[in-house]
Amino acid sequence: MSLDDEDSTWLLALESALHEGADDHELIGITRGRILPEEHRAEIWYICLGGGNKFSNFAQFDEIFDLQDQSVVRADVKSLVDKLGNEEEDKVSIVCDVESIFTHYCKTRHLKYDTTQLWGDIVLPLLAAKMPRDHIYVCFEEILEKYIPRESGLGGSVYHLLRLILLYHDPELSTFLDSRKITPDLYATSWMRSLFSAVCSLDATMAVWDIYFQERDPFFILFLALVILVNARDQVLEMKTDTRDQIIAMLCGIPGGLSVDDVSDFCSLARYYIIKTPHTFRKDFTTAIFGSVYMGHGEVCNRVGDLPLSQALCLPVSAEEIIDTCDMLQVAGDDIEQVRFFLVDCRPSDQYNAGHLPNAFHLDSSLMLQHPASFQTAVQGLFMAQRQAVASETPGCGQHLCFIGSGREQEDQYVHMVVASFLQRNSQYVSLAKGGYHAIHDLLVHNINESLADHDSKRCLVCAPDSQSHSSEPADQEDFTITTKPQPSLMNKFSSLSSVFKMRSVEMKEKLVEYITNPNGDGTTVDRHVSAQDRGKLYRNQGDVFSIEDDDGDGGGGADGRENDRLEVVKVSQWLKKPDVITSFACHQVKENGYMYKCHLLLTDTLLFVIRESETKSGEGHVTARRTLASIVKITSKKRHPDLITFKYGTTSPDGEVTVSDMDRFLIPKASEATKIIKEQIMKQMDSAKS
């Protein structure tokens, strides 16, 4: 059958179905994935958007135009109608119709009209399709409440989800945009609020909507956005020397080049990415992102476990999806296109040996801190095992890495560090099992011994949580505390109130870092000095465990770490040779999010500088902090990880009470020697101040 014959066949089938009053499912079965003929577009849109089954109260509009911003509504509508190019006598009628639609919707939903919501761009294609007024209202209402994200402004959940989806499919591009602090809400707001109508030509928009409404998937917009970003990746990655604003402007304008001829491929690629993406997010976030305008903010969930969506490390995958995927692979074999997970169980070996999924690769996350060389060897083994499993088409094994923790918050901070390291390798298809092994165990509890390999109910921590005494690591060991009596100053008097808030911030930061570096900690503090016998070998002569383009945190103090261009750029070698530098230490800075950064600590008579090495320009670095030695009130270490040193900054009251206002944590080879030198310099400065 020729293409012309095929086109005429489906068109005849469509006309017959419309004549017979076919329902939406029958029509979509005929038109699926096709751009609609202009003469049938309005009718099919109306049917796909539920017009035949939806009650509309638009007929009850009282024709009273008394919104608080009614003049703004009327001006926007007139501007919209001018774009249509109708005759003057038609414009008056259209203006009245559209103003009635906007006014009635605001009144019935108790909303304040907002020009930035781009309602005019949503109505424009409906007008161009030549719909009657009451049909336009039904379609406008359905688009707003089913397809437009409920919170589409800056910081909306939909943009955090788009970033996670981009990170899943193109981590290199995602990391580059993150490093320039370019979040999706800076370039995709008009895409989301108008379903591309605000940025594409009218013809291209209507062609996209033809297929969009047939998909009946509110998340389709995210994958269309993903296609745009992935297709532009080479152009974006070449803009390393361009400004942040230039990159954002380029991204905003990309959809403008879309033509009608591009639309079929555009939507087909979006479908491909949908198939290749875990679907847990749909169940978790549909209500949070696309819920009714009647729902209050407290009625929806936009969190991954205990974290807000904005802080999710990667895409979450539920235990149900993991098990369902394994079951589907066993039943369907290799003929079905879907996500195929390669499961990575990151629990300690004793827990793994007491029960695990049969197809799970074991990678003990604690090796990352305790034996980094062994960890790197295990990672290479993981990639080799994955390649072999994919090549041999092993059931239940694929290209999509899903990391499984224990399901216990403290232990899983190690798992988060492992996941972050894979993301920094630009590994595609990285996800994290929600609830970890505990959630999988609960799901399989009625058939546990048959479903899990090597399950031992006596040693399994889910079956018998008290079966073993959890080894705990003591909290930071106090090396020394500075107890110098501070000189009273005007600043001290005014800073007493803000110190309360600073302490809260530091406490939270300490807890986050503590979870990462002390997963079994019981909070016990053992006072002791860092000694030469504590010289650790964990990181000596090791390469970067983590590194990323830029820091998403607070920059560790003096400079604003959120904007790289605000940090002082220096030549590292020149700074190391400065005459006032007493000594320097090559190390890694550990941030509260689990990332580590290669840096140098430079000690002068009165200051401690932190210089982070640039990931993009060899030999360059950024001065991320300038700490006065007088502000260091504590230096602490860990018993099991003596190379992990924490510097705490703050003030000491006249009665000796220490107030900690900030902190830094570093992994320093031969840490005891480094802290000894820094301590001696602090004491010299104290003696000099006294004299």
Side-chain angles (χ1 to χ4, degrees), residues 275-288:
I275 293 172
K276 295 296 184 182
T277 307
H279 56 73
T280 294
F281 70 88
R282 294 177 177 273
K283 179 180 178 181
D284 289 349
F285 305 122
T286 296
T287 304

Side-chain angles (χ1 to χ4, degrees), residues 59 78 106 112 116 121 145 153 155 180 205 243 249 323 374 396 483 561 653:
K78 287 181 178 179
C106 284
K112 188 179 187 303
T116 64
D121 292 294
E145 299 189 0
R180 303 300 297 271
T205 297
T243 67
I323 301 304
S374 299
T483 57
S653 67

Side-chain angles (χ1 to χ4, degrees), residues 389-461:
V390 172
S392 61
E393 299 182 349
T394 303
C397 294
Q399 296 179 328
H400 297 250
L401 292 169
C402 182
F403 292 85
I404 303 172
S406 66
R408 290 192 297 276
E409 182 180 9
Q410 290 186 340
E411 282 183 12
D412 285 350
Q413 294 299 323
Y414 276 140
V415 180
H416 296 162
M417 294 175 72
V418 170
V419 172
S421 73
F422 276 79
L423 292 173
Q424 190 49 35
R425 292 170 182 265
N426 291 330
S427 298
Q428 273 188 307
Y429 309 137
V430 171
S431 61
L432 185 62
K434 287 178 56 183
Y437 174 77
H438 199 302
I440 293 171
H441 188 287
D442 288 347
L443 190 64
L444 301 173
V445 68
H446 297 299
N447 196 28
I448 195 74
N449 291 324
E450 290 75 16
S451 301
L452 297 178
D454 304 325
H455 184 255
D456 185 340
S457 59
K458 294 181 180 179
R459 293 188 297 125
C460 172
L461 294 186

Side-chain angles (χ1 to χ4, degrees), residues 442-668:
D442 288 347
L443 190 64
L444 301 173
V445 68
H446 297 299
N447 196 28
I448 195 74
N449 291 324
E450 290 75 16
S451 301
L452 297 178
D454 304 325
H455 184 255
D456 185 340
S457 59
K458 294 181 180 179
R459 293 188 297 125
C460 172
L461 294 186
V462 181
C463 295
D466 299 324
S467 62
Q468 72 173 33
S469 60
H470 298 269
S471 60
S472 60
E473 179 183 337
D476 289 355
Q477 316 300 311
E478 186 172 311
D479 177 18
F480 76 108
T481 301
I482 308 299
T483 57
T484 54
K485 184 175 180 179
Q487 295 297 319
S489 67
L490 187 62
M491 182 58 68
N492 285 340
K493 295 178 182 179
F494 282 103
S495 64
S496 59
L497 182 62
S498 64
S499 67
V500 176
F501 298 96
K502 288 183 179 179
M503 281 192 292
R504 293 294 183 190
S505 174
V506 173
E507 287 171 8
M508 183 178 297
K509 194 183 297 184
E510 278 198 274
K511 288 178 181 178
L512 286 170
V513 178
E514 181 63 20
Y515 286 153
I516 295 168
T517 56
N518 180 21
N520 298 315
D522 59 0
T524 306
T525 301
V526 181
D527 291 339
R528 67 179 185 87
H529 287 278
V530 177
S531 66
Q533 285 70 33
D534 288 335
R535 294 178 184 177
K537 299 180 180 179
L538 298 180
Y539 292 85
R540 193 173 302 160
N541 300 323
Q542 296 296 329
D544 271 341
V545 182
F546 290 103
S547 62
I548 69 170
E549 297 286 339
D550 195 12
D551 177 23
D552 287 334
D554 60 3
D560 184 358
R562 301 187 69 85
E563 287 293 350
N564 222 19
D565 53 7
R566 297 182 187 176
L567 299 177
E568 182 180 356
V569 181
V570 299
K571 294 289 185 182
V572 175
S573 59
Q574 292 179 4
W575 271 62
L576 294 177
K577 296 176 183 178
K578 279 193 170 188
D580 58 337
V581 174
I582 298 172
T583 187
S584 62
F585 311 98
C587 58
H588 291 82
Q589 186 174 20
V590 183
K591 302 301 288 184
E592 61 268 22
N593 58 8
Y595 289 147
M596 298 186 189
Y597 308 88
K598 194 172 183 180
C599 66
H600 298 267
L601 291 180
L602 275 62
L603 179 66
T604 70
D605 288 339
T606 58
L607 294 169
L608 185 67
F609 290 88
V610 180
I611 300 181
R612 184 186 308 160
E613 292 189 6
S614 171
E615 288 291 326
T616 57
K617 296 183 179 179
S618 178
E620 289 191 359
H622 300 90
V623 180
T624 61
R626 292 177 176 84
R627 304 291 194 180
T628 62
L629 298 185
S631 69
I632 301 175
V633 293
K634 287 185 180 181
I635 302 178
T636 61
S637 68
K638 286 188 172 296
K639 184 176 182 180
R640 287 179 56 190
H641 304 303
D643 284 344
L644 189 58
I645 304 297
T646 300
F647 291 85
K648 299 181 180 180
Y649 312 99
T651 57
T652 306
S653 67
D655 57 3
E657 182 179 351
V658 174
T659 299
V660 178
S661 59
D662 207 349
M663 59 173 283
D664 289 320
R665 184 162 285 187
F666 302 94
L667 283 164
I668 310 176

Side-chain angles (χ1 to χ4, degrees), residues 228-495:
I228 290 172
L229 294 170
V230 172
N231 283 356
R233 75 180 310 275
D234 292 341
Q235 183 180 354
V236 174
L237 294 176
E238 289 173 357
M239 299 180 73
K240 292 182 179 179
T241 59
D242 290 74
T243 67
R244 179 169 174 260
D245 289 341
Q246 287 173 325
I247 298 173
I248 292 171
M250 188 277 291
L251 289 171
C252 289
I254 293 175
L258 189 71
S259 69
V260 174
D261 292 337
D262 299 325
V263 169
S264 293
D265 289 341
F266 180 40
C267 294
S268 294
L269 285 170
R271 290 192 207 96
Y272 168 81
Y273 283 114
I274 288 173
I275 293 172
K276 295 296 184 182
T277 307
H279 56 73
T280 294
F281 70 88
R282 294 177 177 273
K283 179 180 178 181
D284 289 349
F285 305 122
T286 296
T287 304
I289 294 175
F290 295 100
S292 167
V293 295
Y294 288 120
M295 298 182 67
H297 295 287
E299 299 178 66
V300 298
C301 174
N302 58 356
R303 303 177 72 83
V304 179
D306 294 328
L307 290 175
L309 184 59
S310 60
Q311 295 181 25
L313 185 59
C314 60
L315 270 183
V317 177
S318 67
E320 290 84 356
E321 181 170 4
I322 293 171
I323 301 304
D324 287 347
T325 301
C326 293
D327 290 344
M328 288 174 65
L329 287 170
Q330 293 174 4
V331 173
D334 298 320
D335 296 331
I336 186 169
E337 281 286 339
Q338 62 172 324
V339 171
R340 299 171 186 269
F341 290 118
F342 187 85
L343 302 177
V344 184
D345 193 324
C346 295
R347 294 174 297 147
S349 57
D350 57 335
Q351 296 181 34
Y352 178 85
N353 292 331
H356 58 268
L357 286 170
N359 57 337
F361 182 95
H362 184 228
L363 178 66
D364 188 341
S365 61
S366 64
L367 289 175
M368 190 163 200
L369 281 180
Q370 297 173 358
H371 302 288
S374 299
F375 175 79
Q376 296 299 334
T377 301
V379 169
Q380 296 306 314
L382 183 155
F383 285 128
M384 183 179 298
Q386 185 189 27
R387 285 194 297 269
Q388 292 174 349
V390 172
S392 61
E393 299 182 349
T394 303
C397 294
Q399 296 179 328
H400 297 250
L401 292 169
C402 182
F403 292 85
I404 303 172
S406 66
R408 290 192 297 276
E409 182 180 9
Q410 290 186 340
E411 282 183 12
D412 285 350
Q413 294 299 323
Y414 276 140
V415 180
H416 296 162
M417 294 175 72
V418 170
V419 172
S421 73
F422 276 79
L423 292 173
Q424 190 49 35
R425 292 170 182 265
N426 291 330
S427 298
Q428 273 188 307
Y429 309 137
V430 171
S431 61
L432 185 62
K434 287 178 56 183
Y437 174 77
H438 199 302
I440 293 171
H441 188 287
D442 288 347
L443 190 64
L444 301 173
V445 68
H446 297 299
N447 196 28
I448 195 74
N449 291 324
E450 290 75 16
S451 301
L452 297 178
D454 304 325
H455 184 255
D456 185 340
S457 59
K458 294 181 180 179
R459 293 188 297 125
C460 172
L461 294 186
V462 181
C463 295
D466 299 324
S467 62
Q468 72 173 33
S469 60
H470 298 269
S471 60
S472 60
E473 179 183 337
D476 289 355
Q477 316 300 311
E478 186 172 311
D479 177 18
F480 76 108
T481 301
I482 308 299
T483 57
T484 54
K485 184 175 180 179
Q487 295 297 319
S489 67
L490 187 62
M491 182 58 68
N492 285 340
K493 295 178 182 179
F494 282 103
S495 64

